[in-house]
Amino acid sequence: MSYKLLHAGFGNMVVADRVVSIITPDSAPVKRLKDEARDAGLLVDITQGRKTRSIIILDSRHVVLSAIQPETLTARFEGKE
């Protein structure tokens, strides 16, 4: 079985078929979502200490923090990059 992977930054990959959404981290509801994921043990931080520029929501309820711009991740997801 072969999976399409999404490069989410710094050598980290996410299975593209599991991605529900790619969002910006600026709004209060998104910050609450991030805090709830942290409390539930479902937060994955792949920013390598850099600023969080996008949040990837997976169908497994995991929340992935990335330092890559949402536009860049979307282009990678769509295969344009």
Side-chain angles (χ1 to χ4, degrees), residues 15 21 23 40 43 55 76:
V15 177
S21 65
I23 57 178
L43 185 70
I55 296 179
R76 290 177 183 178

Side-chain angles (χ1 to χ4, degrees), residues 23-54:
I23 57 178
T24 58
D26 302 330
S27 70
V30 174
K31 290 177 183 175
R32 275 195 305 275
L33 176 72
K34 183 175 79 168
D35 292 340
E36 290 170 4
R38 179 179 287 120
D39 294 343
L42 298 173
L43 185 70
V44 181
D45 185 352
I46 60 170
T47 61
Q48 300 290 322
R50 291 174 174 80
K51 179 180 178 183
T52 299
R53 299 192 187 277
S54 62

Side-chain angles (χ1 to χ4, degrees), residues 33-34 37 42-44 55-58 61-65:
L33 176 72
K34 183 175 79 168
L42 298 173
L43 185 70
V44 181
I55 296 179
I56 305 167
I57 310 295
L58 304 179
R61 295 182 40 224
H62 284 86
V63 175
V64 181
L65 307 180

Side-chain angles (χ1 to χ4, degrees), residues 3-19 44-46 48 56 58 62 64-66 68 73 76-77:
Y3 294 105
K4 180 181 173 194
L5 298 175
L6 170 64
H7 181 256
F10 305 106
N12 296 291
M13 306 288 178
V14 176
V15 177
D17 292 340
R18 311 281 320 250
V19 174
V44 181
D45 185 352
I46 60 170
Q48 300 290 322
I56 305 167
L58 304 179
H62 284 86
V64 181
L65 307 180
S66 176
I68 306 297
L73 289 175
R76 290 177 183 178
F77 183 79

